[in-house]
Structure formats: structure tokens, C-alpha cells
Amino acid sequence: MTTTEHNPTAVGSGQNATASFARKERQAGPVDHERAGAIIGDALAALHEVVRRHQVTYAEYDALKGWLIDVGRTGEWPLFLDVFLEHVVEQVANADRKGAVGTIEGPYYIPGAPEFASEADVPRRADEPGTPLLFEGTVTDLDGNPLDGALVELWHADDAGYYSQFAPGIPEWNLRAQIRTGADGHYAFRTIQPAPYQIPTDGAVGAMIATAGWHPWRPAHLHLKVTAPGRAPVTTQLYFAGGEYVADDVAQAVKPELILHPTKSDSGEGNHVTYDFPLDPAA
């Protein structure tokens, strides 16, 4: 798989991700100047220590400034932060969670996907490549009681690593859907099994990865966001056992609890997997 053949450009993907983030509802309130000062001060102190420890030169400092400008110019800040920082923010935010395990959301979530009741044939092209996948499970409370009216949102890349609304030529809601559970808490998506993909490598983030000698690959995964009245929401990604890059995901988002073990479907066409979501009470 090469970047030019299969991946959206960094500029195109980055600008769409930036525009999506700009539309996102964010919590507003009074600024805690003491807390802000402590966080900003510690972040700067950490950077100062890196400069001292590695004896950073002016040439390297100028390269950093140029890189920061390029990240902004190509709109790649959501990509950079979601790949290299979000997994730690998620760990801190969900340290006390007892139910379903979360991980990063990433930059490609779009609200408002087509909604279905209990079961969904996920919107996809008539000739959509990829192995058919039946993905189902139950949303419950921590005692295993099914939750009526839970919303399970699913989105993922296609077989070539593209996300709809972030790459050209793909239908708007391709491989995006949400299901409202009934009294039994059950959901079922019929979709295709995604492939591993590179994050965009033709921009500033790709240049950083190449300079560091790292690889830019994410393992194949399904994105999910699960919400229910009176329950703490969870955002997660599910990966496939034995898949490439599961052990060395560039985004460091894989957790053992998030590994799927597909079996052959009863119809003999494609794979089948079951995954349940026990949700914590709302705070």
C-alpha cells in the first residue's frame, strides 16, 4: 500500500479534520488561571528540559519552528494531537471506569450518521471491497441488564484506508451508521472488515515520523461511540486478533480488552464477531 495510491492527502484530510473540530461542541466556562498556569508552566518546563538534555542547536530549533508552521498550514493539528497525545488524555479521563474499555476517538468522527433500530446494513457502495463482517452485541449496565434506547455509533475506514468525508469521491455516509437499541439492548451492524492503513504521510506529521524513523501505520479497527440515558458514554476502537500493527500501533491506542476474535459467519460469507458494552453510571 502506497500513500499516493490509497491514502488521502495530508492537506485534504487535515483541513477536513480541522473543520470538523471547529464544529465540535466544546465545554465553556470560566478559566481557572491557576490550573492553566500550572499546566502551561509544566509543559514549557518539560520542553526546556528536552532542549537542555539534548543540547538542541539553533538549526534544530529553526527546523522545529518551520515544522510547527507547516502543521498549521496543512491543518494537521487534529491528526498530530489525536495520534500522539490523545491516548494519554483518554487514560487519565477513564482511569476509574469499571465497564467497557475506551480508547482514542481520533480525528475522523462525524455526528449525525444514518440511524437504524436494532440492526443496520451500514451504508456502503454497491461494489464496496472488503470481507463482509457481522458485528453485534448488547449494551448493558454493570450488572448485565440490557439498556433500552442506547445509541451505538460506528464508523471506520474502507478497505483502502479512506474515511468518508475526509477523502474525495466517497459517498457522504459511507461506512458510518448508528443504532438505537430496543428493550433487549441488542445491536447488529452488517459492514465490511477494514484493513490497516497509514496516517497521511505527505505532510508535516509524515515528515516528523520519517525523521524519527518510525512507521506510520494503524492496525485495522472499528470506531465506536456508545451512549445511553443515565450512563457514562464510552468511545473506543476495536482491533482484530493477529492483525498487522496491533502490537505497534503508531497511535498507541490498542488495549488487550479491545481485541476482537472473528469467526466465520454461519452463512459462510465473511466473518462474525460479538462485543458487549457494559456502561458505568453517569457521574
Side-chain angles (χ1 to χ4, degrees):
M1 180 181 294
T2 65
T3 301
T4 55
E5 290 175 349
H6 293 299
N7 284 283
T9 66
V11 173
S13 181
Q15 289 175 346
N16 285 349
T18 296
S20 175
F21 179 77
R23 294 191 298 267
K24 181 178 180 179
E25 293 185 9
R26 295 188 288 278
Q27 293 179 347
V31 176
D32 183 336
H33 294 286
E34 183 175 357
R35 177 171 171 79
I39 293 171
I40 295 168
D42 283 354
L44 291 173
L47 288 173
H48 297 166
E49 177 55 28
V50 168
V51 171
R52 295 187 183 99
R53 186 187 318 143
H54 295 282
Q55 294 292 287
V56 172
T57 67
Y58 259 106
E60 291 165 335
Y61 174 65
D62 286 344
L64 171 62
K65 286 197 292 184
W67 179 81
L68 291 170
I69 291 168
D70 285 344
V71 174
R73 179 180 55 80
T74 57
E76 291 186 90
W77 279 118
L79 174 67
F80 172 78
L81 293 169
D82 290 350
V83 169
F84 295 107
L85 187 62
E86 187 187 357
H87 69 281
V88 182
V89 177
E90 187 278 326
Q91 289 170 8
V92 171
N94 294 314
D96 297 327
R97 187 186 294 276
K98 296 180 175 62
V101 173
T103 190
I104 66 174
E105 179 176 295
Y108 300 130
Y109 170 68
I110 299 289
E115 184 174 328
F116 302 83
S118 299
E119 297 186 7
D121 275 308
V122 176
R124 54 194 183 276
R125 294 161 288 194
D127 58 348
E128 193 74 52
T131 302
L133 177 70
L134 172 59
F135 171 65
E136 63 180 330
T138 304
V139 184
T140 70
D141 63 18
L142 293 183
D143 296 321
N145 300 306
L147 295 178
D148 188 4
L151 188 66
V152 184
E153 300 180 74
L154 173 76
W155 70 101
H156 61 85
D158 66 13
D159 192 53
Y162 290 95
Y163 283 84
S164 59
Q165 303 191 40
F166 291 88
I170 301 177
E172 182 180 19
W173 295 109
N174 205 61
L175 302 178
R176 297 177 184 269
Q178 51 186 343
I179 284 176
R180 186 75 63 179
T181 64
D184 61 358
H186 182 257
Y187 70 89
F189 293 98
R190 286 176 289 274
T191 186
I192 60 103
Q193 193 165 315
Y197 67 87
Q198 293 182 24
I199 64 172
T201 57
D202 59 325
V205 173
M208 182 199 76
I209 290 171
T211 299
W214 303 338
H215 76 72
W217 286 87
R218 295 228 58 216
H221 57 279
L222 305 170
H223 296 263
L224 290 122
K225 186 186 291 280
V226 185
T227 56
R231 297 285 140 184
V234 64
T235 299
T236 197
Q237 298 179 16
L238 300 178
Y239 308 88
F240 297 89
E244 289 184 283
Y245 309 107
V246 167
D248 60 347
D249 174 22
V250 66
Q252 302 179 61
V254 178
K255 300 177 183 179
E257 301 90 340
L258 304 178
I259 304 297
L260 299 172
H261 297 270
T263 59
K264 290 297 181 183
S265 65
D266 292 340
S267 68
E269 296 183 2
N271 293 326
H272 172 243
V273 70
T274 300
Y275 195 89
D276 297 329
F277 287 95
L279 298 184
D280 291 57

